[in-house]
Amino acid sequence: MESGVRTVALSTGISVPCFVQGNLEQIADDGGAPLLLLHAWGESRRSFGRLIASLPTFVMVAPDLRGHGEADKPESGYALSEIVMDVVALMDALDVQRAHVLGSSSGGYVAQQFAVTHPDLVASLTLVGTPLSLQGKPPFADAVEVLKDPISEDWVRDSLSWYRLLHAVPASYIDDRVKDGLAMPASIWKASLRGFYEAVPPTETGHISVPTLMLWGAHDHLVPRQHQETLARRIKGARLKVYEDTGHLVLWECPERVAGEAAGFIAELPKRPRLG
């Protein structure tokens, strides 16, 4: 299966666009696994564009998650466990037996739950600005609950100020994240956020036993250092790297650095033969 964006029909009843870079069959035959990218709430696969550009030789898979980007937007199915079911169905549809999983922000929350419930499918985790817990309403939940269609571009731009940036981010990248926000109806903004804050935190439901790299910005006001250190302790052998001059949006602020960290981490891990 060669590079490109394709629409993938999932056994969970929805279709999602998925960017694939490289040959999935070849990497499996070689004993490796692709890198699966899981985007944050309110974003899309395109949020990984700058990271992908920094890893031109990597085999990668980057879908739009349910309700986001150009994925189908049913009214239901946004519980954390259901999003994980979509990820499992995507891997099955692409005949991917194992993947290295990189999740940004709440995408890393999905990745944690995926590793808890389907450790056989996860070769490793890279968690980028990822929370220990999203349980309980976040400060901005009330602003989301009163949203009505059509979503205002001004509202989406203002919502980006919830996340402090310490580095310059290209204006074109910000504009693209605004497009992501406008692609989501008000009902999906609400349902997808509730799916996160109503879920029991993944590491309270089971154990994560796969090799894990954690990348966290020291100026992250949404994910406190204490929570990040607790998450690192809960994942046996997890490696926590602190970016002292970065906030919550590590992927936005330094995608090239994230790409380098992830590539180095994955290169250290052993390959195993394809099963079946």
Side-chain angles (χ1 to χ4, degrees):
M1 187 174 292
E2 298 291 347
S3 299
V5 177
R6 69 215 57 203
T7 299
V8 183
L10 306 184
S11 60
T12 50
I14 65 169
S15 293
V16 301
C18 184
F19 170 77
V20 176
Q21 174 172 284
N23 190 308
L24 295 176
E25 287 87 356
Q26 186 62 54
I27 193 173
D29 290 343
D30 292 343
L35 179 60
L36 170 64
L37 306 176
L38 300 179
H39 65 76
W41 172 67
E43 299 183 15
S44 76
R45 69 184 190 279
R46 292 187 299 271
S47 63
F48 290 110
R50 295 158 71 214
L51 181 144
I52 290 170
S54 297
L55 295 170
T57 63
F58 257 63
V59 179
M60 284 188 274
V61 175
D64 284 349
L65 298 178
R66 175 182 294 250
H68 292 70
E70 297 163 346
D72 284 350
K73 298 172 174 59
E75 290 299 314
S76 61
Y78 296 93
L80 182 61
S81 59
E82 292 173 306
I83 301 301
V84 168
M85 289 171 60
D86 287 341
V87 175
V88 174
L90 175 70
M91 290 184 62
D92 183 59
L94 296 177
D95 192 27
V96 173
Q97 296 190 5
R98 292 171 78 237
H100 299 285
V101 184
L102 184 151
S104 173
S105 188
S106 57
Y109 208 59
V110 176
Q112 289 177 55
Q113 187 65 37
F114 184 32
V116 166
T117 56
H118 296 81
D120 55 315
L121 299 181
V122 181
S124 72
L125 287 181
T126 300
L127 304 177
V128 184
T130 297
L132 165 70
S133 171
L134 289 173
Q135 202 165 31
K137 283 190 176 183
F140 46 79
D142 290 342
V144 174
E145 286 298 332
V146 298
L147 276 179
K148 295 181 180 179
D149 293 319
I151 301 295
S152 158
E153 179 175 338
D154 288 342
W155 183 87
V156 177
R157 286 192 183 277
D158 288 346
S159 74
L160 300 183
S161 68
W162 298 340
Y163 315 104
R164 181 185 176 200
L165 291 171
L166 281 77
H167 295 80
V169 175
S172 59
Y173 187 83
I174 299 295
D175 290 343
D176 206 44
R177 303 293 67 74
V178 171
K179 290 178 183 177
D180 287 343
L182 292 173
M184 295 170 59
S187 61
I188 306 305
W189 274 97
K190 298 171 189 179
S192 54
L193 181 60
R194 284 196 298 267
F196 286 121
Y197 71 68
E198 291 177 354
V200 177
T203 56
E204 294 180 18
T205 67
H207 299 288
I208 296 175
S209 56
V210 302
T212 300
L213 172 66
M214 299 169 56
L215 307 177
W216 174 78
H219 296 275
D220 190 336
H221 65 290
L222 295 176
V223 180
R225 181 183 291 266
Q226 181 182 358
H227 287 192
Q228 200 72 173
E229 291 173 348
T230 298
L231 180 59
R233 287 195 299 270
R234 288 185 182 178
I235 303 175
K236 184 177 180 181
R239 184 187 311 173
L240 172 60
K241 300 200 75 168
V242 177
Y243 290 14
E244 295 293 348
D245 56 350
T246 305
H248 177 65
L249 297 174
V250 177
L251 176 69
W252 294 29
E253 294 198 59
C254 40
E256 297 86 0
R257 186 174 174 187
V258 171
E261 302 273 18
F265 171 61
I266 291 170
E268 297 174 4
L269 302 174
K271 296 180 179 181
R272 76 180 190 185
R274 181 183 176 95
L275 303 176

